[in-house]
Amino acid sequence: MTTVLLLLLSFVMILAGAFAFTNAVEWAGIRLGLGHGAVGSVLAAVATALPESTIPVIAIISGEETGQIAIGAIVGAPFLLGTLGMVMVGGTALLAKNRREQGDRLKLHRQSTVRDLSVFLVLLTTALVLGLIGNKAVNIVVAIAFVAGYGVYVWRTVKHGGEAGQEDELTDLFFDPSKQNPPRNIQIILQIVVSLALIIGGAHLFVTEIEHISKTLGIAPLVLALALAPLASELPEKLNSVLWVRRGKDSLALGNITGAMVFQSSIPISIGLVFVDWRLQAPAVVAMVCALIGGALALINVRFFSRFSAPWVLTWLALYAGAFTYVFAAG
């Protein structure tokens, strides 16, 4: 009974944090003069990816011998983003098309999204190949290149992030009691800090309780890390994107997903390449292949169609469900 209550509390914390963060990060983008592409791909994506990124670090620091918990958490994030993340964006656009000015079409900064997905495919493919080769010296060199490359990516995204949003488009900042726009910078910063604390705290509480349940049921650690941990700690991103899609802000919504895909396939993987034995077992390989297929389909769709129709959404869902089922069967 206690575990169930703690799980419910974690959901409340994550939901509250996601709502507050969505509101604050839009105002931060306005004050910094950033375009929607930069706000979604950098500010929102990196910050909401922090809960997931801490899991492999904690696993490494705790001295987990096999490294499979760290690898599972690292691989699980891009897998979930490249499949279920696209389902959330496309499905929401379809369900809310009657209330969206652009209907079921995606109104986005195409250059930023295409760049995100292209970089993701290159990085994750490289990580997959390295996981099959298992050469530590090569892994370290590539990890350094990944970190440097992500720095270049952030710079280019901020520089070419599209037109900046307008203040009259935004909901009043929650931490601005006067509701007189624009809010003060300290109010924006405080709301971001509090919302991130809620997201991170809720995500960690959720993962902790899921770990307790998995140990009780005898589920393999790799299954937890690869399938369940990302589902819990990546939830804030899905909630932010759903909120933005419903309001017709597709650049923010999809940039939040694709920007996190780039982050998760660069920084956390770099940590894995350096600090654990980066040898991928079958479940991890399957998850990475499905993530690559999902990312490639998203790139094709954005590049040529800009509409996540029902067949596309069902394909991403099938990729996620199929790999998820395999991982549990293998575990």
Side-chain angles (χ1 to χ4, degrees):
M1 184 63 181
T2 302
T3 299
V4 174
L5 292 176
L6 289 175
L7 282 174
L8 292 175
L9 175 61
S10 71
F11 274 121
V12 172
M13 292 172 66
I14 292 172
L15 285 169
F19 273 101
F21 181 81
T22 301
N23 174 253
V25 78
E26 289 184 90
W27 275 108
I30 290 290
R31 297 306 294 266
L32 293 173
L34 299 180
H36 280 176
V39 174
S41 294
V42 178
L43 291 182
V46 173
T48 54
L50 289 178
E52 172 63 20
S53 302
T54 58
I55 295 175
V57 173
I58 291 172
I60 293 169
I61 293 175
S62 65
E64 197 266 322
E65 295 181 358
T66 65
Q68 292 307 303
I69 292 179
I71 290 176
I74 292 169
V75 171
F79 159 62
L80 187 144
L81 291 166
T83 54
L84 191 60
M86 298 302 165
V87 172
M88 298 296 290
V89 173
T92 302
L94 290 173
L95 293 174
K97 64 181 181 180
N98 292 331
R99 59 182 296 178
R100 287 161 44 92
E101 181 180 349
Q102 62 267 45
D104 61 352
R105 293 193 62 83
L106 295 176
K107 184 179 179 182
L108 45 78
H109 189 244
R110 183 175 299 183
Q111 180 182 356
S112 296
T113 307
V114 169
R115 182 183 63 247
D116 286 359
L117 292 170
S118 300
V119 171
F120 166 76
L121 292 174
V122 172
L123 293 177
L124 198 64
T125 299
T126 303
L128 175 58
V129 173
L130 292 177
L132 299 176
I133 295 175
N135 187 302
K136 190 66 174 181
V138 174
N139 290 354
I140 293 175
V141 173
V142 173
I144 295 172
F146 274 17
V147 173
Y150 187 74
V152 174
Y153 159 82
V154 171
W155 173 75
R156 289 184 58 85
T157 300
V158 172
K159 184 177 180 181
H160 304 288
E163 296 182 358
Q166 301 297 320
E167 294 180 7
D168 56 9
E169 299 175 353
L170 306 184
T171 303
D172 293 334
L173 188 77
F174 299 153
F175 276 33
D176 180 11
S178 67
K179 305 303 178 186
Q180 294 180 358
N181 298 330
R184 291 183 295 170
N185 290 340
I186 186 62
Q187 293 172 323
I188 297 174
I189 294 172
L190 181 60
Q191 183 167 317
I192 289 176
V193 170
V194 172
S195 61
L196 284 177
L198 285 171
I199 291 172
I200 294 172
H204 275 288
L205 178 60
F206 184 90
V207 172
T208 299
E209 296 309 311
I210 290 296
E211 284 181 326
H212 175 72
I213 294 174
S214 69
K215 290 178 181 178
T216 302
L217 299 178
I219 301 174
L222 179 61
V223 172
L224 170 69
L226 180 57
L228 298 184
L231 185 62
S233 52
E234 291 290 351
L235 181 61
E237 276 169 287
K238 310 306 164 295
L239 295 174
N240 288 333
S241 292
V242 166
L243 294 173
W244 277 322
V245 169
R246 285 172 57 85
R247 294 161 59 186
K249 298 185 177 183
D250 299 332
S251 287
L252 288 171
L254 196 56
N256 189 24
I257 300 293
T258 60
M261 291 167 72
V262 175
F263 178 82
Q264 296 289 8
S265 60
S266 56
I267 304 303
I269 284 181
S270 297
I271 294 173
L273 290 173
V274 174
F275 295 105
V276 302
D277 184 13
W278 191 256
R279 299 177 188 272
L280 301 178
Q281 297 182 7
V285 172
V286 169
M288 292 181 77
V289 169
C290 288
L292 288 169
I293 295 173
L297 291 176
L299 178 60
I300 293 171
N301 191 296
V302 170
R303 181 69 178 80
F304 297 105
F305 302 103
S306 294
R307 174 185 281 117
F308 286 179
S309 59
W312 292 87
V313 174
L314 292 175
T315 300
W316 283 307
L317 183 60
L319 282 171
Y320 177 78
F324 192 90
T325 301
Y326 172 80
V327 168
F328 266 97

